[in-house]
Every structure is written in structure tokens, then in C-alpha cells.
Amino acid sequence: SSDLAGAGAQVTICGRRASVLDAVATSTPGISAYVCDVTDGEAVASMMHAIAAQCGTVDIVVANAGAATSCSFSKTDARAMRDMLDVRA
């Protein structure tokens, strides 16, 4: 993200922890931050509308969210699988 901002792109990062986002945004010119849980579709839609209003069109989205349970596959239930997949959708 700092390379993109350094090249002149308007970069917006998002995540669930404001302190981490603020640290990046305040230390890197050209980066703004939104607190957003990407498993909440309404929150994502609201964030994308706010970004579009602030920056204009959104040209690139880099999805880098991830989640995993720590157990063997044979012990993973349908709910745990759904939770892991929802983060990536």
C-alpha cells in the first residue's frame, strides 16, 4: 500500500482494529483508513460508498482478509467452514 501511495494513488485500508489502521495511515502519506469488518456486508457497502464519495471511482481492490480455525479438517464443522469462507467472499 505504501508503494501505491508513493506512486500517487489514493489508498484506503480497512480492518477491524482502529489502532493498527491509524498507525499505518498516520505514518504513510496518501493512505486513509476505515474500520470495517469485511464479514458484515452492510458495513462493507457503507465503507465502499464513503470511499467512492471521498475518492471518486474505485479502480483497484486488494482483498487480503483471512481466517482459519485451528483443528484438523475432520473435526471442522459446517459453521467453522462457512465462517472461514465468508471472510474471503
Side-chain angles (χ1 to χ4, degrees), residues 67 69 73 76-88:
T69 58
F73 181 77
T76 301
D77 61 14
R79 170 70 185 210
M81 288 298 292
R82 178 81 283 158
D83 289 346
M84 285 188 287
L85 295 172
D86 282 349
V87 171
R88 292 170 177 82

Side-chain angles (χ1 to χ4, degrees), residues 13 15-27 33-35:
I13 58 175
R16 293 177 292 168
R17 294 179 293 171
S19 61
V20 174
L21 297 169
D22 291 342
V24 173
T26 58
S27 68
Y34 282 88
V35 175

Side-chain angles (χ1 to χ4, degrees), residues 7 13 15 18 21 32 39 45 48-49 54 57-59 63 67 70-71 73 78:
I13 58 175
L21 297 169
S32 59
T39 64
M48 293 302 292
H49 288 344
Q54 177 186 351
T57 61
V58 175
D59 297 318
S70 182
C71 64
F73 181 77

Side-chain angles (χ1 to χ4, degrees), residues 1-17:
S1 56
S2 60
D3 288 343
L4 290 170
Q10 294 179 349
V11 176
T12 303
I13 58 175
C14 74
R16 293 177 292 168
R17 294 179 293 171

Side-chain angles (χ1 to χ4, degrees), residues 51-67:
I51 292 168
Q54 177 186 351
C55 301
T57 61
V58 175
D59 297 318
I60 300 171
V61 174
V62 178
N64 193 35

